[in-house]
Amino acid sequence: MTGTQQVFAIAAAVVTLMVIMELVRRRRLREEYSWLWILTTLAMLLLASWYGLIEWLSRLIGAVTPTTTLFLFALMFLLMLNVHFSTVISRLTQQVRRLTQELAIREAERQGEGVERPRPEDPGRPAPR
Amino acid sequence: MLSELQALDPSAAAARETPVASARRRLLVVMPAYNEERRVRQVVERVRGAVPVDVLVVDDGSADATAAEARLGGARVAVHPVNLGYGSALQTGYRYALRHGYDAVLQMDADGQHDPASIPALVAGLDHADVVVGSRFLSGESYRPPLARRVGMWVFGTLARLVAGIRITDPTSGFQAISRSALTFYAHERYPPDYPDADVLAMVARSGLRLTEVPVRMLASPDGKSMHGGVLKPMYYVFRMTLALLLVPLRKETI
């Protein structure tokens, strides 16, 4: 890995880390979803700055150049992030289902009490999929 | 506990003479509906004309007047503000039934393909089972699905037999009667949001709930639309069913 490559890799990792931290600080990214991102950038930083580690890893996995190792690990972390998001989405889907059902049940109960909910034309109603 | 519930509820006592109530159960008919404004009212009226029961129509985020039409037919209506899927709509009905102390649910589709005359037979099946599936193939009528569908039914039927030891001729049937303990089992995350199928029945069997099938009459769906139409949908269906059935023995379900 040339010096330029190393400097660029470190810079990219630092910038990413700063962006993540800023998003968390402004509460645009919740702490509970930021940890995997922070882990990813820290791992990239470590691999980019500690040349001995990346050489050792490259030998371990049989990579020809250290850059390959860096890309491979970055890719693996991104993959993990995506799987993590899929589980988050699954949980959100479950919660939306539960909420929607609860709302529907409450409305049906109100109908039973003889309280008709006014149902005007609702422009805010989302179009069905 | 069953008799206690009935003692508390005058409507169940009043309905005791009817064929359905002779099974000594307080029954809720659950009818998921999605954009069925043209038929749902008539279907609800026919059910209420055939059997004196409470009908809950679950409007799964329809864009049309399904909910209003169902109310005109005399049903109670639970409206999903967004479209969640057929399975989720059914589950809303199960949860409603559990919360309001019903002893059993009879589920049927809102498009009129399920004949209300078959309701007593389904409910009677609850005497010796927790889930009673109405099968159009047991009734000796000459319904013959397209080849691709027959192949799929055979493959998944065999798979369900292997993983759960069940023999169900019509696993996709939406015409079913469900006991209170099965309702509890269904009111859980395990219940699929889209189309409950042989995988759900396999889960039911493995959890120790009793499963049976009775012949029912089904009419052709008036506009012949299928829930599994298109090109990608059947492919996804095959994938999902295979995965769900293979996972059945790997999951530990408790009631």
Side-chain angles (χ1 to χ4, degrees):
Chain A
M1 189 154 66
T2 65
T4 320
Q5 281 173 340
Q6 193 171 15
V7 168
F8 180 77
I10 291 171
V14 167
V15 168
T16 314
L17 187 60
M18 278 164 59
V19 168
I20 300 289
M21 288 309 236
E22 179 60 13
L23 285 173
V24 176
R25 192 186 68 81
R26 286 201 231 158
R27 298 205 169 82
R28 294 264 303 276
L29 176 62
R30 289 169 58 117
E31 284 95 340
E32 56 179 305
Y33 302 133
S34 68
W35 65 271
L36 205 46
W37 278 111
I38 293 174
L39 203 67
T40 306
T41 50
L42 286 180
M44 275 190 67
L45 202 59
L46 191 71
L47 284 173
S49 49
W50 182 6
Y51 198 68
L53 177 66
I54 204 164
E55 271 189 330
W56 176 78
L57 271 174
S58 301
R59 273 200 305 277
L60 192 71
I61 64 172
V64 180
T65 61
T67 33
T68 313
T69 315
L70 201 58
F71 276 118
L72 191 70
F73 273 78
L75 207 67
M76 271 167 49
F77 266 102
L78 287 177
L79 212 64
M80 274 168 56
L81 267 174
N82 276 314
V83 173
H84 173 65
F85 288 151
S86 297
T87 64
V88 171
I89 290 170
S90 299
R91 193 173 69 227
L92 287 173
T93 307
Q94 191 60 44
Q95 289 169 342
V96 167
R97 165 156 98 152
R98 196 73 197 78
L99 279 171
T100 306
Q101 291 179 326
E102 191 61 39
L103 198 68
I105 290 172
R106 297 276 164 111
E107 187 180 273
E109 283 166 354
R110 275 157 52 100
Q111 185 195 346
E113 290 160 10
V115 186
E116 268 303 312
R117 198 176 74 120
R119 290 182 60 85
E121 287 303 306
D122 183 359
R125 189 187 176 94
R129 272 183 296 163
Chain B
M1 195 198 114
L2 216 75
S3 54
E4 272 174 38
L5 278 169
Q6 287 191 332
L8 290 170
D9 182 66
S11 69
R16 196 156 286 164
E17 282 73 39
T18 65
V20 167
S22 72
R24 304 187 133 257
R25 276 187 197 91
R26 214 181 139 221
L27 182 73
L28 177 70
V29 170
V30 170
M31 206 183 278
Y34 181 57
N35 291 340
E36 289 288 357
E37 65 175 358
R38 288 183 297 116
R39 290 186 294 239
V40 68
R41 179 178 177 180
Q42 192 204 345
V43 174
V44 170
E45 280 167 352
R46 273 175 47 212
V47 170
R48 284 163 50 89
V51 215
V53 281
D54 296 341
V55 178
L56 177 77
V57 169
V58 183
D59 174 4
D60 190 18
S62 297
D64 64 6
T66 296
E69 285 295 313
R71 283 195 195 95
L72 285 175
R76 186 163 289 194
V77 183
V79 183
H80 288 174
V82 292
N83 181 253
L84 290 184
Y86 180 76
S88 293
L90 282 172
Q91 200 185 43
T92 300
Y94 302 156
R95 292 197 152 122
Y96 183 92
L98 283 172
R99 205 173 293 183
H100 290 265
Y102 288 94
D103 300 311
V105 157
L106 185 121
Q107 64 175 62
M108 59 192 293
D109 291 348
D111 61 2
Q113 66 163 316
H114 296 153
D115 187 350
S118 297
I119 292 177
L122 280 166
V123 175
L126 288 175
D127 287 340
H128 50 86
D130 295 295
V131 175
V132 186
V133 181
S135 168
R136 76 200 107 166
F137 301 115
L138 289 179
S139 56
E141 278 173 52
S142 58
Y143 170 70
R144 205 173 150 80
L147 178 69
R149 207 171 157 175
R150 284 209 306 278
V151 171
M153 287 172 69
W154 182 83
V155 170
F156 294 130
T158 308
L159 206 51
R161 201 166 65 240
L162 290 177
V163 299
I166 55 170
R167 282 177 180 278
I168 294 292
T169 59
D170 200 356
T172 58
S173 168
F175 204 9
Q176 302 188 6
I178 298 155
S179 77
R180 196 171 166 90
S181 40
L183 289 179
T184 313
F185 185 74
Y186 281 172
H188 181 274
E189 283 183 25
R190 62 174 72 95
Y191 201 74
D194 44 13
Y195 297 106
D197 206 313
D199 54 328
V200 171
L201 300 177
M203 275 195 306
V204 163
R206 283 183 64 94
S207 72
L209 293 165
R210 296 156 304 164
L211 190 66
T212 191
E213 236 182 358
V214 302
V216 293
R217 227 163 70 90
M218 287 198 200
L219 317 161
S221 185
D223 48 9
K225 68 171 180 190
S226 165
M227 288 171 177
H228 301 292
V231 179
L232 286 175
K233 268 191 181 172
M235 284 170 65
Y236 172 72
Y237 172 81
V238 167
F239 161 77
R240 200 197 70 113
M241 276 304 294
T242 309
L243 181 68
L245 280 170
L246 289 177
L247 285 178
V248 164
L250 301 177
R251 282 174 170 153
K252 180 114 187 76
E253 308 283 1
T254 45
I255 301 174

